[in-house]
Amino acid sequence: RCIRMLQVPRRNHVVAIERPSFANRGKKYTSKATMIRSVRRDESGTSLTCHYLNDGNVVVRFMILKKEYFIPAVVLLRALRQTTDREIYDRMCCPSRETGKVSNAFVANHVEVLLRDGSVRNIFSRKDALCRIGKEFRVQMQKMVSVVGLSEEEVGFLLVKRCVLVHLEDADDKFSLLLLMLRKLWSFASGECAADNADALSSQEILLSGHLYLKIM
């Protein structure tokens, strides 16, 4: 008997990656992205990727039943927590309380692009974002779980809970991690940080036979 150990990306760890194939997804897409392989306690999981666009905006890619779907980052941020533009700006740019100056002008400009995109889409509250998500993904969610009788807001809440950063239970934690992914993506795009080495042992883990049993059962 031969047991073959499979190497997979490290779980619950944000990595910056650059792949030319990302730029083929659309006219505005670039080759830069940040990605996380999110794994639940039962070893099931899914990946979430933040794609950097050439206009400074970000689109998030997630999976539903092994199919890829895309959603603007600002819509997902709003859906995770009832927040304000000021809070998002402060947490992303880390302005000094003493001087009021932002720590990174590049990031500050891109946060403004992100928030402006939310205004254009008329997404100003958590309810607006959840209703938009529920309306657009009701059919896809019906394939996973019964959503008969649920409102659009409830369907959106269910999608965020079951398909976005699934290793975290609390929506506030998901909100903070998504902010971290966006900050790392913009730092990567500006050249402030380099791409992570996917071949390094620190970026990998071993998929054991017990993990496979859990995934199947």
Side-chain angles (χ1 to χ4, degrees):
R1 294 181 180 181
C2 177
I3 298 178
R4 181 173 180 232
M5 301 298 182
L6 297 178
Q7 287 180 306
V8 293
R10 179 180 171 186
R11 69 182 63 193
N12 308 336
H13 179 68
V14 181
V15 294
I17 52 179
E18 185 166 10
R19 294 177 183 170
S21 59
F22 288 161
N24 298 329
R25 295 184 177 275
K27 294 181 179 180
K28 294 185 178 181
Y29 283 76
T30 67
S31 59
K32 292 180 171 59
T34 51
M35 182 178 68
I36 185 172
R37 176 174 161 263
S38 185
V39 180
R40 302 182 184 91
R41 292 177 123 189
D42 63 357
E43 297 299 330
S44 65
T46 184
S47 296
L48 186 136
T49 307
C50 294
H51 289 277
Y52 179 69
L53 307 183
N54 55 24
D55 61 357
N57 212 338
V58 179
V59 171
V60 178
R61 173 168 56 97
F62 62 97
M63 309 290 289
I64 300 179
L65 296 178
K66 298 183 179 181
K67 291 185 178 180
E68 296 180 345
Y69 296 93
F70 298 83
I71 186 171
V74 66
V75 176
L76 189 55
L77 275 176
R78 294 287 193 189
L80 290 172
R81 178 179 176 179
Q82 182 62 41
T83 184
T84 62
D85 291 355
R86 184 66 187 182
E87 181 185 7
I88 294 175
Y89 186 86
D90 286 349
R91 293 187 62 172
M92 290 296 295
C93 304
C94 302
S96 172
R97 294 182 179 179
E98 299 176 355
T99 63
K101 295 181 179 179
V102 299
S103 58
N104 190 312
F106 183 89
V107 173
N109 291 336
H110 284 66
V111 173
E112 292 178 4
V113 172
L114 189 79
L115 297 176
R116 194 179 303 118
D117 182 53
S119 299
V120 172
R121 299 176 186 275
N122 293 321
I123 303 295
F124 300 103
S125 66
R126 187 180 189 188
K127 183 177 181 179
D128 293 341
L130 289 174
C131 289
R132 176 69 63 85
I133 293 174
K135 180 180 180 181
E136 295 184 358
F137 292 97
R138 176 179 287 274
V139 176
Q140 288 77 9
M141 288 301 297
Q142 180 64 44
K143 299 176 183 178
M144 290 181 58
V145 62
S146 176
V147 296
V148 177
L150 297 182
S151 65
E152 292 178 348
E153 182 179 358
E154 292 171 329
V155 175
F157 181 82
L158 195 61
L159 182 144
V160 169
K161 180 179 179 180
R162 301 194 57 166
C163 302
V164 176
L165 301 174
V166 295
H167 68 290
L168 298 173
E169 294 290 339
D170 188 67
D172 287 344
D173 293 337
K174 295 185 180 187
F175 178 82
S176 298
L177 182 54
L178 184 57
L179 287 180
L180 175 64
M181 293 184 69
L182 294 174
R183 178 62 191 261
K184 185 168 184 175
L185 177 60
W186 287 324
S187 298
F188 179 39
S190 66
E192 186 178 350
C193 72
D196 291 290
N197 184 5
D199 297 326
L201 293 179
S202 60
S203 300
Q204 300 173 345
E205 64 179 55
I206 297 297
L207 184 64
L208 302 177
S209 56
H211 298 162
L212 290 173
Y213 287 134
L214 281 174
K215 288 176 180 289
I216 296 172
M217 298 177 65

